[in-house]
Amino acid sequence: MELRDIEIFLVLAEELHFGRSAERLLVSQARVSQAIRKQERRIGAALFERTSRTVRLTNVGRQLRDDLQPVYAGLHESLERARMAARGVTGRLRVGMMPFNVVDMHPYWRAFRSRNPQWELEIRQLEYVDPFGRLRDHDMDVLVTWLPVEEPDLTVGPVLCTDPRVLAVAADHELAQRRSVRLEVFSDFQHAIAPDMPDYWEDAYLPFHTSQGRPIERGRLVTNAEELINQVGMGEIIHNFPSHVTRHWGMPNIRWLPVTDQPELSFALIWRSDAENELITALADMVREFGAIRF
């Protein structure tokens, strides 16, 4: 079985939809169907049950998926290591960012690359979907996110930056003309919610209740930054942010109001304790040496 055909099978096994699989693979739907039929002829059994409404794996298909996934992942890792070795690169550190201030943190990234030319540093901006899960799934090596993080399998490293809070509202919102706000007003308006956040961690970012015990309602499910700020701009929600976003988003339809009674938010390096290696240690030591950025 060719590597591309394996990839087509595994993507279809995940998506269970020929159209979405073709879009993800950047091929035609006919190419996906052709590859699956070829695999089924070679194996001598159906891999998928197809109807006009659904696509499901057969028992043979499930077994093949389970057998191929680790093999395919291993092949990709081997090929990537070979490509890196050809460039003189001996390791890669993948850093996932929950804050938006990648530019503010350039001194860290530049210093790491300068001191460690044998290692590749990859910075990713993350969606708001289960970031701890992505660490645990080995999808990234280090996470930059807000504190506190109280996960028994994760190590909390040094703080990179500490930010005061601002509230984002639409330019025509009833709060837009204020010079600042207090947390108590949050309970009068709707806010967004992201999936798969531990309660204590979400509460540190946006409390569930005001100091007087009034609930702060979450109503909108949001998974990415553009959707979030667009909903604010449309007046559908208000949302609090660390203040560095005011440099990231210069939008005429958004007003930024300092929140006077919410504590500052600190962002730190987080990694899986059992995955700590010399690359992670080098980055953490360098951040400690430079010290945290304050805004």
Side-chain angles (χ1 to χ4, degrees):
M1 190 180 293
E2 296 178 4
L3 188 61
R4 184 57 164 167
D5 288 342
I6 293 174
E7 183 181 24
I8 289 172
F9 167 74
L10 289 174
V11 170
L12 183 58
E14 181 180 337
E15 295 287 351
L16 297 178
H17 190 282
F18 280 84
R20 287 196 301 270
S21 298
E23 290 178 6
R24 181 169 156 188
L25 291 158
L26 301 177
V27 299
S28 68
Q29 194 166 322
R31 174 70 177 91
V32 176
S33 298
Q34 179 188 37
I36 298 302
R37 285 196 301 269
K38 183 172 72 173
Q39 293 172 42
E40 290 176 330
R41 286 196 301 271
R42 182 172 295 162
I43 291 168
L47 301 175
F48 296 90
E49 295 175 357
R50 304 123 158 127
T51 71
S52 59
R53 294 178 178 274
T54 62
V55 177
R56 293 186 298 178
L57 282 163
T58 64
N59 290 336
V60 174
R62 281 192 291 273
Q63 177 181 318
L64 183 63
R65 176 201 61 194
D66 294 344
D67 288 343
L68 284 179
Q69 278 178 335
V71 174
Y72 181 75
L75 280 171
H76 261 285
E77 290 171 5
S78 297
L79 290 169
E80 186 58 29
R81 283 196 296 270
R83 283 192 287 265
M84 291 166 59
R87 303 195 309 270
V89 176
T90 61
R92 171 185 291 166
L93 187 64
R94 300 163 300 171
V95 179
M97 294 279 293
M98 293 295 286
F100 300 100
N101 54 341
V102 178
V103 174
D104 292 330
M105 296 184 183
H106 272 190
Y108 297 132
W109 316 141
R110 284 197 297 267
F112 182 87
R113 286 169 173 149
S114 175
R115 296 180 183 186
N116 305 286
Q118 77 279 19
W119 296 334
E120 190 173 271
L121 179 65
E122 181 179 305
I123 308 296
R124 306 181 186 179
Q125 194 72 57
L126 299 183
E127 294 186 338
Y128 308 141
V129 181
D130 192 19
F132 297 154
R134 296 183 68 179
L135 265 182
R136 291 166 176 143
D137 290 341
H138 303 263
D139 189 47
M140 70 185 73
D141 305 305
V142 177
L143 173 66
V144 179
T145 192
W146 65 83
L147 299 178
V149 171
E150 300 169 356
E151 305 292 313
D153 59 327
L154 303 182
T155 295
V156 178
V159 170
L160 292 95
C161 64
T162 299
D163 243 352
R165 308 295 193 95
V166 293
L167 180 69
V169 303
D172 58 356
H173 193 275
E174 62 184 272
L175 296 176
Q177 300 308 311
R178 297 194 182 190
R179 294 186 177 182
S180 64
V181 293
R182 295 179 63 82
L183 189 64
E184 203 64 33
V185 305
F186 285 28
S187 63
D188 295 329
F189 305 96
Q190 190 170 111
H191 301 256
I193 185 173
D196 302 317
M197 284 191 178
D199 284 349
Y200 77 88
W201 192 55
E202 181 181 350
D203 186 68
Y205 189 95
L206 176 65
F208 291 105
H209 295 87
T210 70
S211 59
Q212 296 182 17
R214 299 171 65 197
I216 298 176
E217 299 292 341
R218 278 85 159 157
R220 300 274 181 166
L221 186 66
V222 173
T223 61
N224 64 78
E226 293 306 316
E227 181 183 3
L228 177 59
I229 200 64
N230 286 337
Q231 288 190 14
V232 172
M234 293 295 293
E236 298 173 7
I237 60 171
I238 64 173
H239 194 76
N240 68 329
F241 289 96
S243 66
H244 69 255
V245 300
T246 62
R247 296 186 297 282
H248 178 81
W249 279 317
M251 304 174 70
N253 62 329
I254 302 292
R255 295 291 181 270
W256 307 101
L257 310 176
V259 182
T260 58
D261 60 344
Q262 198 174 13
E264 293 182 326
L265 202 62
S266 291
F267 290 84
L269 298 179
I270 311 295
W271 61 87
R272 285 178 37 246
S273 301
D274 63 359
E276 185 170 334
N277 57 32
E278 60 177 335
L279 286 80
I280 295 172
T281 300
L283 179 62
D285 288 346
M286 192 200 65
V287 171
R288 292 188 186 97
E289 176 186 333
F290 275 53
I293 303 167
R294 293 191 65 87
F295 303 107

